């Protein structure tokens, strides 16, 4: 019985640590969003990767909001991954190779997150 209880505690602790570490990694990726906005011109290939990382972060950051809508973080990540290619084609197909202004960066950022994360109240 003690072995079973110890095993359950280890599993719960492992899950908590893993979730926290992954969430922190996603948060570190968001830091690069603000870094990329301050350096112009912004390379579109780097921008796409940064936006994907930022969208993943939004799923973790808004876990309570998603839960209130009966959506899990895993569902959010899965939906994001499913829509990634479709949204990149839709939003970035006519985009320049380099974004020259903060307004362009913010506009493409908003369009990408709205396309990949269509959940209500998750953006921001």
């Amino acid at each position: 019985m003690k072995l079973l209880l110890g095993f359950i505690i280890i599993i719960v602790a492992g899950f908590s640590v893993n979730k926290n570490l992954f969430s922190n990694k996603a948060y570190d990726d968001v830091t690069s969003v603000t870094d990329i906005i301050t350096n112009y011109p912004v390379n579109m290939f780097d921008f796409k990767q940064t936006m994907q990382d930022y969208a993943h972060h939004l799923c973790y950051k808004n876990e309570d909001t998603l839960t209130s809508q009966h959506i899990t973080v895993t569902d959010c990540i899965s939906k994001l991954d499913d829509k990634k290619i479709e949204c990149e084609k839709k939003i970035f197909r006519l985009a320049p190779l380099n974004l020259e202004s903060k307004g362009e960066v913010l506009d493409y950022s908003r369009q990408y997150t709205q396309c990949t994360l269509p959940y209500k109240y998750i953006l921001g």
Side-chain angles (χ1 to χ4, degrees):
M1 186 66 175
K2 288 181 184 180
L3 182 61
L4 179 62
L5 182 60
F7 184 68
I8 291 172
I9 290 172
I10 289 172
I11 290 174
V12 169
F15 176 74
S16 297
V17 167
N18 187 31
K19 179 181 175 186
N20 196 15
L21 285 175
F22 190 75
S23 181
N24 285 341
K25 180 197 175 301
Y27 182 76
D28 291 342
D29 292 334
V30 170
T31 304
S32 65
V33 170
T34 57
D35 291 344
I36 205 168
I37 289 174
T38 61
N39 299 317
Y40 296 99
V42 177
N43 178 293
M44 184 53 72
F45 298 107
D46 294 337
F47 182 71
K48 285 180 188 178
Q49 182 59 49
T50 301
M51 288 312 305
Q52 182 182 6
D53 295 340
Y54 180 67
H56 275 112
H57 167 72
L58 287 175
C59 286
Y60 287 99
K61 176 182 166 193
N62 293 291
E63 183 174 8
D64 294 336
T65 302
L66 291 171
T67 302
S68 71
Q69 297 177 46
H70 307 291
I71 301 166
T72 66
V73 171
T74 306
D75 292 338
C76 182
I77 296 292
S78 176
K79 180 82 165 181
L80 185 146
D81 291 340
D82 290 345
K83 294 193 62 100
K84 177 185 176 281
I85 293 172
E86 172 191 335
C87 290
E88 281 186 2
K89 286 179 183 176
K90 178 181 173 183
I91 292 164
F92 300 123
R93 73 171 185 249
L94 298 175
L97 289 177
N98 294 306
L99 301 176
E100 301 292 334
S101 70
K102 184 176 182 177
E104 282 182 315
V105 168
L106 293 174
D107 184 46
Y108 281 107
S109 171
R110 181 188 49 77
Q111 289 180 48
Y112 183 79
T113 53
Q114 285 179 347
C115 182
T116 57
L117 299 170
Y119 304 119
K120 200 173 189 181
Y121 308 120
I122 188 172
L123 303 173

